[in-house]
Amino acid sequence: MNTSPDRLPGDCRVLLVGTGGVGAPCAIALAEAGVGSLLIADEDCVEIENLHRQLLFFDADVGQSKPLVARRALEERRAGLAVDVFVGRALPSTAKDLIRNVHAVVDATDNFASRFLLADACRLGGVPIVHAAAIRWMGTAVSTGPHGGPCYRCLFEDLPDAAPDCATAGIVGPVCGVIGGIAAEMALLAARGDPRLFGQVATFDGKADALRLVAIARRNGCPLCGSEPTITDLVETRYTGPACAA
């Protein structure tokens, strides 16, 4: 989709992948900011132990499909908001269709396989993306543009062999809210074609209540955005490994 800095929020369509601790407050922020339409993708169901940070859901929603509940909650929250749903996971076979006809993507997934897949799909498809995550007292949001560099692979070269997750490391609910709001702001700027936060990493330290913005350094040898890119398609084996479990 062509983007323009003059586009109003109501003209923007955003894909949100993941409606967990970061994705739920991000969805609320996007809706309240007046975004025209949302496409929500998730495969999970609401679980009671996550309600303290997944602000779209309540006790009565436990066991139900998260994207379906999210659509109902968001449409009730703001009349006129168009919410479409994809019940499933972003995969090499589905990612291209998911990013089609959106102005920006928010990656609020909980595993590196999905993050790298979405990063690659968005770069190949010419769509800006914001990667947002939180763990313990820390949260990050990374905005990358649809062309040129730097990109997500300039910051994280490839899937790690192992990575901590919320189940083992824990997470502080309010940190999710802060990062979800920042990701929504980045996505709105990206959807409007405003490049000022492309290539920037926002880091929030909940213990210090401090926010820092740092530019990513572009890697000339990056396989995705470097001078001679080698990633030209979404190959399933590229997104499998020890750190790929949801």
Side-chain angles (χ1 to χ4, degrees):
M1 273 189 167
N2 292 328
T3 54
S4 168
D6 297 326
R7 177 178 288 111
L8 298 174
D11 299 322
C12 296
R13 178 171 172 80
V14 177
L15 164 64
L16 173 63
V17 186
T19 51
V22 171
C26 181
I28 293 172
L30 287 169
E32 295 294 342
V35 69
S37 65
L38 283 171
L39 171 58
I40 294 176
D42 203 323
E43 67 172 350
D44 293 334
C45 294
V46 179
E47 299 180 10
I48 193 167
E49 61 267 27
N50 298 329
L51 294 181
H52 71 287
R53 66 181 184 272
Q54 297 181 3
L55 304 180
L56 280 171
F57 312 124
F58 298 91
D59 288 5
D61 302 322
V62 171
Q64 298 184 51
S65 166
K66 287 168 64 175
L68 296 179
V69 175
R71 176 172 61 186
R72 182 177 68 241
L74 291 168
E75 290 179 340
E76 290 176 351
R77 189 179 189 97
R78 204 197 94 200
L81 174 65
V83 182
D84 296 315
V85 165
F86 175 80
V87 181
R89 187 171 185 169
L91 298 170
S93 59
T94 61
K96 290 181 180 179
D97 286 336
L98 283 173
I99 68 169
R100 188 173 291 123
N101 297 324
V102 301
H103 296 104
V105 174
V106 177
D107 160 29
T109 59
D110 59 2
N111 65 89
F112 276 103
S114 295
R115 293 187 183 282
F116 279 97
L117 169 64
L118 290 168
D120 295 349
C122 285
R123 176 50 59 100
L124 296 176
V127 180
I129 182 169
V130 177
H131 302 273
I135 194 165
R136 302 187 182 98
W137 289 86
M138 301 293 295
T140 59
V142 183
S143 178
T144 63
H147 307 290
C151 71
Y152 190 70
R153 285 185 179 271
C154 291
L155 182 63
F156 301 104
E157 296 186 20
D158 210 337
L159 278 70
D161 291 333
D165 56 27
C166 297
T168 57
I171 190 169
V172 178
V175 173
C176 294
V178 172
I179 290 299
I182 292 172
E185 179 185 20
M186 285 181 160
L188 284 171
L189 285 172
R192 295 179 66 240
D194 190 325
R196 73 186 73 184
L197 292 182
F198 289 160
Q200 301 287 325
V201 181
T203 302
F204 177 69
D205 183 340
K207 284 187 175 181
D209 195 22
L211 180 65
R212 184 176 63 165
L213 193 65
V214 177
I216 305 171
R218 184 178 184 183
R219 292 193 300 120
N220 289 332
C222 176
L224 187 59
C225 75
S227 56
E228 297 181 0
T230 57
I231 296 176
T232 58
D233 204 352
L234 305 179
V235 180
E236 185 173 355
T237 54
R238 187 178 291 124
Y239 312 103
T240 57
C244 294

